[in-house]
Amino acid sequence: MSYLTKSPWILHYDASSCNGCDIEVLAALTPVYDVERFGIINTGNPKHADIFLVTGSVNEQNREILKNTYDQIPNPKVVIAVGICASSGGIFRECYNVMGGIDKVIPVDVWVPGCAARPESIIDGVVKALGILEEKRKAMKIPAGDTA
Amino acid sequence: MTKQIIVPFGPQHPVLPEPIHLDLVLEDEKVVDVIPSIGYIHRGFEKLVEKREFTEYVFIAERTCGICSFIHGATYCQGIEQIMGIQVPERANYLRTIWSEYSRLHSHLLWLGLYADSFGFENLFMNAWRIRERILDVMEQTTGGRVIQGSCKIGGVRKDISNAKLAEMNRDLDSIKREMEELTTVFLKDDTVIHRTRNVGVISRQDAFHLGAVGPTARGSGVAIDLRKTGYGAYGELDFPVITDSCGDCYSRCLVRCKELFTSVDIIQQAIAKIPDGPVDVKVTGAPNGEFFMRAEQPRGELVHYLKGNGTKFLIRSRIRTPTLTNIPPLVKMLQGCDLADVPVIVLSIDPCISCTER
């Protein structure tokens, strides 16, 4: 992980989750799991973010917001689908207002399993995403540590 | 006349973990009107009752909301049991009460953290969530799940807690209580916090009542309603006060929740002292035929599950009315006339749970 010279920042968006995964995302940031000690910060601003954490499945009303938020994140960026709802719709798959996983709207790089996803697996997903972020950075020919 | 401008707030906003959209109509820095719009996380799972057997629907009812999931599951089960006339064993009732109160502790601590974050007190946010993890540890040890427990079923509960574990939980609560005392002192006595919350987002008793406020939002304005006093589960055999405050501002709502933390600890300790031995479930045969309104007290207020069955394995209607939905009209009232900078604090003060609201 020597390429990690800058702290990756996270943007979290709740597409239509039951809250279970959202509070576990926040739990990963707070003292017991504390990913902030590695410089991973939950930012509210898409323009500051590198990693896009999405919980819950998409529906007609929020697909534009999801797409819009994704477009505002500067390249290189990675998307993590947290929880089974974000991956496929999960227990709500057959509901009339659920279109399915978020990969119907934006490209997903990492899928985190679980209902609700545990903080450990969310952290695991973020670590996987860091490797993908680095590959994307190389593909864009940006020197390591330089902000794009 | 000053020119009016509209500032959109949400759906993706730093202070909100969940999406709700508010159009704030401003005159200079003052909010004159608020137009809420919801529907970003509507899933429509009330209709799933037609596709899932009533025994399986417990899992979906639990996923109405990841924060108060246990209470949703228990309320649904109690509703079905009322329709079918099932007598739940006493021990199961006590276990449900204990888990419900643990849910309330975890929800209120979570809220205290988010609330601290909304006025920029990051350290306090982290501290509240640190204590909350201790509650979640107990949840995980006793049910197997941190936020979604799945331990409630129709006719009782899936898992028993051994008496040794209950005694350990009782001891643990004493130390959690001490930590919570330190935490709530900051919320209630710290000058900076008081400055940010006193006389902010005031709603009178009359307005709160007429606009249908429930839970701590109503109790913070002096409306003494607490569904636990109706005595469902084991609440009828336990002694606890209904906490109210009269000012109706953000500070009052925070005060009510802070005091409720200790009420919950007290309820759990009473329940642990009184819990009878015996089985934790009964066998369920047949299918529900009839309808019932089950009301219960969620951390955010009154929760209503309306259930209707026709004697088959599939219910024909489920309707869930959650507390945040009824707290939105009072919220709009609170926001009118406030400063733009206070909007996050006021929105958080009703403890919005959007995934409950939109189902």
Side-chain angles (χ1 to χ4, degrees), chain B residues 19-310:
Chain B
I20 181 171
H21 183 83
L22 301 172
D23 276 320
L24 305 169
V25 184
L26 298 184
E27 272 177 15
D28 294 333
E29 282 278 294
K30 287 271 178 232
V31 177
V32 290
D33 202 7
V34 182
I35 306 154
S37 52
I38 58 174
Y40 294 96
I41 44 179
H42 176 61
R43 287 150 283 169
F45 60 77
E46 286 172 349
K47 200 164 170 59
L48 275 188
V49 283
E50 296 168 12
K51 292 180 187 166
R52 296 276 181 272
E53 288 179 22
F54 71 97
T55 46
E56 291 174 336
Y57 193 74
V58 185
F59 298 111
I60 297 167
E62 262 202 345
R63 282 162 179 80
T64 311
C65 169
I67 302 175
C68 31
S69 54
F70 184 83
I71 301 182
H72 275 286
T75 310
Y76 170 80
C77 291
Q78 282 165 1
I80 294 285
E81 284 152 10
Q82 289 287 344
I83 297 175
M84 298 176 71
I86 298 167
Q87 191 63 40
V88 178
E90 270 296 282
R91 191 174 175 88
N93 265 334
Y94 271 88
L95 287 174
R96 280 180 184 176
T97 305
I98 290 171
W99 277 320
S100 296
E101 288 309 312
Y102 267 103
S103 294
R104 198 178 313 275
L105 279 175
H106 124 72
S107 174
H108 278 359
L109 284 168
L110 175 137
W111 175 81
L112 283 172
L114 293 176
Y115 183 59
D117 190 42
S118 77
F119 50 75
F121 205 150
E122 194 81 3
N123 198 337
L124 201 53
F125 167 42
M126 293 294 170
N127 258 315
W129 281 57
R130 181 178 53 79
I131 303 172
R132 176 180 163 267
E133 286 290 337
R134 298 189 59 184
I135 307 285
L136 289 187
D137 283 346
V138 176
M139 279 292 204
E140 194 176 359
Q141 286 155 9
T142 53
T143 67
R146 276 167 55 89
V147 291
I148 304 276
Q149 285 87 19
S151 57
C152 208
K153 69 171 181 181
I154 292 163
V157 291
R158 277 197 178 76
K159 293 190 173 85
D160 197 358
I161 309 179
S162 70
N163 284 336
K165 180 69 197 167
L166 283 171
E168 189 195 321
M169 281 156 66
N170 198 358
R171 278 196 304 279
D172 218 28
L173 277 174
D174 287 328
S175 91
I176 291 174
K177 198 169 161 183
R178 275 195 297 280
E179 289 197 25
M180 290 196 307
E181 266 157 13
E182 274 175 36
L183 179 82
T184 51
T185 313
V186 184
F187 278 98
L188 302 176
K189 300 272 167 62
D190 189 87
D191 277 345
T192 25
V193 179
I194 293 173
H195 269 289
R196 284 292 268 138
T197 55
R198 254 292 174 228
N199 295 322
V200 171
V202 182
I203 184 158
S204 66
R205 183 180 190 281
Q206 204 167 11
D207 281 340
F209 185 76
H210 284 299
L211 292 168
V214 289
T217 311
R219 293 198 284 273
S221 295
V223 184
I225 43 166
D226 189 329
L227 266 288
R228 286 178 289 178
K229 282 287 176 196
T230 56
Y232 64 89
Y235 288 113
E237 293 151 44
L238 306 169
D239 180 37
F240 58 94
V242 177
I243 289 155
T244 57
D245 196 55
S246 53
C247 295
D249 53 10
C250 290
Y251 181 85
S252 294
R253 291 189 279 279
C254 179
L255 177 81
V256 168
R257 290 194 180 91
C258 286
K259 285 188 179 170
E260 279 184 5
L261 286 174
F262 300 104
T263 316
S264 290
V265 170
D266 191 38
I267 291 176
I268 299 170
Q269 290 186 326
Q270 282 183 43
I272 290 175
K274 277 190 177 174
I275 190 166
D277 286 325
V280 292
D281 58 347
V282 288
K283 201 169 164 7
V284 176
T285 48
N289 192 358
E291 56 184 338
F292 198 76
F293 269 103
M294 183 64 209
R295 302 160 79 205
E297 185 75 13
Q298 216 201 9
R300 290 161 187 77
E302 178 185 346
L303 165 73
V304 180
H305 273 247
Y306 168 71
L307 304 160
K308 187 174 183 183
N310 60 356

Side-chain angles (χ1 to χ4, degrees), chain A residues 11 14-19 23-24 26-27 31-33 44 59 61-62 65 92 94-97 115-116 118, chain B residues 11-12 17-19 39-45 51-52 63 65-67 110 126 129 133 140 146-147 353 355:
Chain A
L11 177 72
D14 173 358
S16 68
S17 147
C18 74
N19 252 343
I23 55 177
E24 295 295 54
L26 286 180
V32 172
Y33 298 96
N59 59 37
Q61 190 162 2
N62 67 27
I65 291 142
F92 303 121
E94 287 172 50
C95 292
Y96 57 81
N97 201 34
C115 179
R118 295 183 57 87
Chain B
Q12 193 270 325
E18 302 172 88
Y40 294 96
I41 44 179
H42 176 61
R43 287 150 283 169
F45 60 77
K51 292 180 187 166
R52 296 276 181 272
R63 282 162 179 80
C65 169
I67 302 175
L110 175 137
M126 293 294 170
W129 281 57
E133 286 290 337
E140 194 176 359
R146 276 167 55 89
V147 291
C353 174
S355 70

